[in-house]
Amino acid sequence: DVVKALGGSKAQKSSEISLQAPAIAENGAVVPLVIESKLPGTRLIAIVSENNPHALSAAFHFPDGTEPYVMTRVKIAETSKVIALVQTDAGFFYTDQLIKVTLGGCGG
């Protein structure tokens, strides 16, 4: 649904996207993430958490010539798959990781 909301139709998995995140988050309110895309023509990196009340946590737009790298912290409501979604000139790509949350971040 997030891919469709961003103007795409589907996304395919890519090993050219790096997602660094803890396997277990002690506090879901502040989960550190580092995302880097090696895909040419990267225009957008979005962070999606499947089990959050609003799946799209953040979206970062990159002008031409900018290094597609994001270091941030997000809230994750409960144990969930976190997806790094990348839009390029060739379409949408993603990688994902399961993050176990011991203390909820979205009101929990």
Side-chain angles (χ1 to χ4, degrees), residues 61-73:
H61 297 270
F62 296 92
D64 289 340
T66 305
E67 183 179 350
Y69 176 89
V70 172
M71 182 186 322
T72 191
R73 295 178 186 269

Side-chain angles (χ1 to χ4, degrees), residues 36-74:
E36 184 173 14
S37 172
K38 298 289 185 192
L39 294 165
T42 296
R43 299 187 305 205
L44 171 107
I45 294 177
I47 301 168
V48 179
S49 179
E50 286 185 332
N51 293 336
N52 273 6
H54 301 285
L56 181 62
S57 297
F60 302 89
H61 297 270
F62 296 92
D64 289 340
T66 305
E67 183 179 350
Y69 176 89
V70 172
M71 182 186 322
T72 191
R73 295 178 186 269
V74 296

Side-chain angles (χ1 to χ4, degrees), residues 10 16 29 32 50-51 65 74 82 91 98 101:
K10 62 180 180 176
E16 297 295 309
E50 286 185 332
N51 293 336
V74 296
V82 172
L98 180 68
V101 175

Side-chain angles (χ1 to χ4, degrees), residues 21-25 79 97-101:
I24 299 174
T79 296
Q97 180 178 328
L98 180 68
I99 299 176
K100 295 183 181 185
V101 175

